[in-house]
Amino acid sequence: MLRHKCRHLIATLAVGTALPFAPAKAQDTVLAHSIIVTGAGLGDTPATPAYDVETITRDRVVTSASGRVEDVLSSIAGFQQFRRSDSRSANPSAQGVTLRALGGNASSRTLVLLDGVPVANPFFGYIPFNAIAPERLGSIRVTRGGGLGAFGAGAVSGTIEMTSAGPGEIGPIHAQALVNDRAETQASATLAPRLGSGFLVASVQWDRGQGFWTTPRSQRVDASARAAYDSWSASLRGVAPLTGTVELQASALAYDDARTLRFEGADSTSSGQQASLRLVGRGDWQFDVLGYVQAQDFSNVVVSSTRFVKVLDQAKTPTTAIGGKFELRPPVGDGHVLRLGADLRLTEGRLLEMPFSAFTGALTAIRRAGGNQSDLGLYIEDDWTLGDLVLTAGVRADRWTIRDGFYRETTPAGLVMEDSAFADRSGWTGNVRGGFVWQASQTVALRAAAYTGMRLPTLNELYRPFVVFPVETRANAALKLEKLRGYEVGLDARPLEGLTLSLTAFDNSLKDAIANVTIGENLRQRQNVDAIRARGLEAAAALDLGRVQFDGSLSWTDSEVEASGAQSALDGMRPAQVPRLAASGTLAWLPRAGWRIAATLRHIGRQFEDDQETDSLPAATTLDAYVKVPVAPLVSVVLRGENLTDERIVTRDQGGSMDLGVPRTVWAGVRVGFR
């Protein structure tokens, strides 16, 4: 029922993207010169710098070596997916995002927003990076930690806010096409015309290729396959003024992605459609009203790594979400910003999968699982500016529900083998956050913050078992909510013109953290451990000398599991897939207008594959490069290099069975831009 409603609403909202561009009335023409639309939400509050915030500008967003958003985000040390693979060679369900070394499983503990809309798959919690073309983005803001506050539930390790670009950043026409040394292609085109006082942005992107070998040469067999991929996405976004202070933003996005991992026939797909409408008012009574709808699907075929035949067909996982947000900022006087708001998210997900015998190839069972979730959040946040001191405090209450959970398994003939209906659960949780930023001098600012947060277990964690052959991981319908408590202090300095430095020390504890816990040989279950405790330092540096620029980021974290009872063997161990050290630095040279020559050096420390610290993934250091050279007034040649030193990047190691990340890859192409 929810999915049917979503499809109807998607169609309605998609049609709505054309509405802002009806012929303007005469009075609008008179006011056009004084109306400015931004396409963004309400502006930052004075207390935004009280938290550990880092912004990636458009110049950095559109000049990564791979042309992929997850590669861009990797320039923020501490950002990590569950595995080191990108969206060409990872299983989509493994692309959860976390910050601050609070990982341990594949779900996202970081809230990822695109123009205010959560983009995570509602069933699994993974981020569909293939749907987000960097060329469409104006900037990305990463807040590590920070708790829930005015953000939706789920931001236990931080928030990533992506803001779409407008014609001023894109130009009326932008296109590029590249090919790499494996004959893989990447192409995109964007139109961004101004229409009266508003604008329209239409964009398409298509990536495809045979992929690279993720299996080491010594482990390849006849059934081994390259990590082939074929993905496209298309978006349409319109922004127009309704009055001198109110603008309407309408967006629609559709995408489809197909990948192969390790063996012939081990294919996965992810697809989705979403649409949103947003009203932003910038008058005396400021407001931001957002509504969205999403429909996503996922399928996956598991192939035996010993007999190389299909053993599981996760045929479909249709998932829908409807949600929205309302925020009001009343005029309460100078030096004072009050935010009152509410947000709502309703999700529904279902799974259909079919296991097969590895010996006979016969279908052995039909499994169905799924459930519904909801979260209603109410929040108040208040900022006070007292000279050089800004204080902030906020409180949030969430009413959550987990309903209609079930797992049903039958034989192919229809005989019921298991039919479980899980008890509904609901409750209220309260969270707080607060902090200050003090401009101690013209060059130094001090800040501190404390906060709490929570995350609901995903439908995937609750009800869906999975196999990465030969390891089986069971679901757990009794999982508790994860609850965060965090503190941090930091310093931001501008000792010289063009030089910015930042240092943050933090202590975060995630109570009842959900982890994949080993309970037998090749057998794991999702369980709540007592906590994951992460303490560490985060540093950033930015230098802008005009023609020379540098951006660097470093994260060092002491992260460990706190466990007792039957899980006591895990106590003191590092969470799975969590490195102790991560660092990134980009040096760019801009010899003249339109030119860019840049190199990026990244290091990620050793990680453990599993909760038992049995198999480790060695540290890896990679070198990337990007070159753009104008050859005509509107045309530039683009050269990109990924992992130029051909570092061996181990992304999975289970008892010696390995997957590898991207090898040395060189791209060449052209970029056309009309401004």
Side-chain angles (χ1 to χ4, degrees):
M1 178 65 71
L2 181 58
R3 188 171 181 84
H4 175 75
K5 292 180 180 178
C6 282
R7 287 174 175 169
H8 176 73
L9 189 52
I10 284 174
T12 303
L13 292 176
V15 171
T17 60
L19 296 181
F21 307 107
K25 297 179 181 180
Q27 63 198 41
D28 293 334
T29 303
V30 173
L31 294 173
H33 69 279
S34 61
I35 295 176
I36 299 175
V37 298
T38 68
L42 294 178
D44 295 339
T45 66
T48 298
Y51 303 97
D52 186 6
V53 176
E54 195 165 344
T55 299
I56 307 174
T57 62
R58 178 171 171 81
D59 284 346
R60 293 168 60 194
V61 170
V62 299
T63 58
S64 72
S66 69
R68 312 187 85 80
V69 170
E70 62 271 30
D71 185 29
V72 174
L73 288 167
S74 294
S75 66
I76 304 295
F79 166 87
Q80 69 171 110
Q81 300 178 80
F82 181 61
R83 298 196 185 278
R84 299 172 176 181
S85 308
D86 65 20
S87 56
R88 292 166 292 192
S89 61
N91 186 285
S93 64
Q95 292 198 267
V97 168
T98 191
L99 297 161
R100 293 227 158 136
L102 290 173
N105 68 12
S107 294
S108 292
R109 290 188 168 104
T110 297
L111 179 64
V112 182
L113 305 171
L114 175 61
D115 298 319
V117 177
V119 301
N121 179 279
F123 189 94
F124 294 92
Y126 69 78
I127 307 302
F129 285 115
N130 56 292
I132 305 167
E135 289 76 15
R136 300 171 191 159
L137 301 179
S139 65
I140 303 175
R141 184 169 67 187
V142 179
T143 303
R144 293 177 280 205
L148 265 62
F151 302 120
V156 291
S157 72
T159 306
I160 297 173
E161 301 167 88
M162 297 180 286
T163 302
S164 293
E169 297 155 301
I170 299 172
I173 299 177
H174 179 280
Q176 68 174 12
L178 298 101
V179 63
N180 70 17
D181 53 348
R182 293 187 296 271
E184 298 163 0
T185 57
Q186 185 178 87
S188 65
T190 303
L191 300 176
R194 295 187 182 276
L195 301 174
S197 298
F199 61 81
L200 178 72
V201 178
S203 175
V204 294
Q205 176 171 288
W206 184 29
D207 300 339
R208 66 178 305 186
Q210 64 175 333
F212 53 86
W213 290 104
T214 60
T215 306
R217 184 180 298 276
S218 62
Q219 297 181 8
R220 293 177 200 166
V221 296
D222 290 343
S224 296
R226 292 173 178 266
Y229 62 96
D230 190 346
S231 67
W232 63 265
S233 68
S235 68
L236 181 65
R237 186 165 187 262
V239 178
L242 298 183
T243 71
T245 59
V246 178
E247 68 181 57
L248 174 67
Q249 304 170 14
S251 300
L253 171 68
Y255 62 91
D256 187 77
D257 176 68
R259 308 179 199 174
T260 299
L261 183 61
R262 299 197 76 208
F263 301 116
E264 293 286 349
D267 302 326
S268 65
T269 67
S270 63
S271 61
Q273 310 85 41
Q274 72 178 45
S276 65
L277 285 174
R278 190 178 196 181
L279 279 174
V280 180
R282 296 184 172 85
D284 292 336
W285 288 79
Q286 297 184 39
F287 60 85
D288 190 338
V289 183
L290 170 68
Y292 63 86
V293 57
Q294 297 169 321
Q296 299 187 31
D297 203 354
F298 169 82
S299 71
N300 184 55
V301 174
V302 179
V303 170
S304 166
S305 62
T306 56
R307 298 187 62 84
F308 314 114
V309 295
K310 178 170 66 175
V311 292
L312 182 64
D313 183 359
Q314 296 166 333
K316 56 182 179 179
T317 317
T319 310
T320 53
I322 296 176
K325 178 179 179 178
F326 170 75
E327 178 171 310
L328 179 67
R329 300 183 186 180
V332 289
D334 294 340
H336 186 195
V337 178
L338 178 64
R339 306 171 70 180
L340 309 172
D343 52 66
L344 174 68
R345 185 168 173 87
L346 309 173
T347 63
E348 175 188 74
R350 299 290 184 266
L351 164 71
L352 170 63
E353 69 176 25
M354 297 165 286
F356 293 81
S357 169
F359 298 95
T360 67
L363 176 66
T364 61
I366 298 175
R367 302 169 181 162
R368 291 179 170 86
N372 299 339
Q373 290 183 326
S374 69
D375 184 271
L376 170 65
L378 307 171
Y379 64 86
I380 302 174
E381 194 153 274
D382 204 1
D383 295 357
W384 286 88
T385 301
L386 306 171
D388 293 328
L389 178 67
V390 179
L391 303 174
T392 183
V395 60
R396 179 184 172 94
D398 284 86
R399 171 65 177 179
W400 57 269
T401 68
I402 300 174
R403 312 181 315 279
D404 305 324
F406 73 95
Y407 180 86
R408 181 180 176 86
E409 183 172 349
T410 66
T411 67
L415 179 65
V416 177
M417 302 167 64
E418 181 178 347
D419 191 359
S420 299
F422 303 108
D424 293 348
R425 291 186 281 161
S426 62
W428 284 93
T429 62
N431 289 284
V432 297
R433 71 174 191 166
F436 72 85
V437 56
W438 174 43
Q439 192 67 43
S441 69
Q442 290 184 344
T443 59
V444 175
L446 303 176
R447 51 185 164 80
Y451 39 80
T452 65
M454 73 91 171
R455 182 181 76 89
L456 284 171
T458 64
L459 297 174
N460 174 53
E461 292 168 323
L462 291 165
Y463 308 126
R464 172 189 170 259
F466 72 94
V467 176
V468 178
F469 198 85
V471 179
E472 176 188 355
T473 301
R474 294 176 178 173
N476 184 353
L479 289 170
K480 303 175 186 177
L481 281 65
E482 295 182 337
K483 296 183 179 181
L484 172 78
R485 183 189 69 244
Y487 315 90
E488 62 188 59
V489 293
L491 176 149
D492 299 307
R494 296 178 180 271
L496 302 171
E497 184 176 355
L499 176 62
T500 302
L501 303 173
S502 175
L503 180 65
T504 302
F506 66 89
D507 185 337
N508 284 186
S509 178
L510 188 64
K511 183 181 178 182
D512 293 322
I514 299 170
N516 298 333
V517 177
T518 298
I519 58 175
E521 184 177 357
N522 290 330
L523 183 61
R524 299 172 187 164
Q525 184 185 37
R526 298 184 181 96
Q527 295 182 3
N528 296 102
V529 298
D530 290 348
I532 293 177
R533 179 84 178 272
R535 293 165 286 191
L537 297 172
E538 295 161 342
L543 178 66
D544 188 347
L545 300 178
R547 293 186 177 182
V548 176
Q549 298 174 351
F550 173 79
D551 289 282
S553 184
L554 181 145
S555 174
W556 178 87
T557 309
D558 179 17
S559 181
E560 64 181 29
V561 175
E562 297 179 352
S564 58
Q567 301 171 347
S568 58
L570 302 179
D571 192 55
M573 291 189 175
R574 197 189 313 172
Q577 305 293 333
V578 170
R580 190 180 301 275
L581 177 67
S584 175
T586 298
L587 181 64
W589 179 41
L590 291 71
R592 60 184 67 182
W595 286 60
R596 184 178 180 88
I597 302 171
T600 298
L601 188 68
R602 290 198 184 98
H603 175 83
I604 185 167
R606 186 176 67 132
Q607 301 166 245
F608 290 106
E609 173 69 37
D610 64 340
D611 62 316
Q612 301 289 313
E613 298 187 354
T614 303
D615 299 305
S616 66
L617 310 179
T621 301
T622 59
L623 175 66
D624 296 343
Y626 180 92
V627 176
K628 187 181 77 165
V629 179
V631 294
L634 303 175
V635 181
S636 297
V637 170
V638 175
L639 302 174
R640 304 190 320 215
E642 302 179 67
N643 191 11
L644 291 176
T645 58
D646 206 22
E647 176 84 339
R648 179 184 170 96
I649 306 169
V650 180
T651 64
R652 185 190 65 88
D653 185 349
Q654 293 180 334
S657 175
M658 293 185 182
D659 286 336
L660 303 178
V662 63
R664 178 169 48 236
T665 303
V666 178
W667 295 82
V670 295
R671 172 178 292 184
V672 179
F674 297 79
R675 300 190 63 85

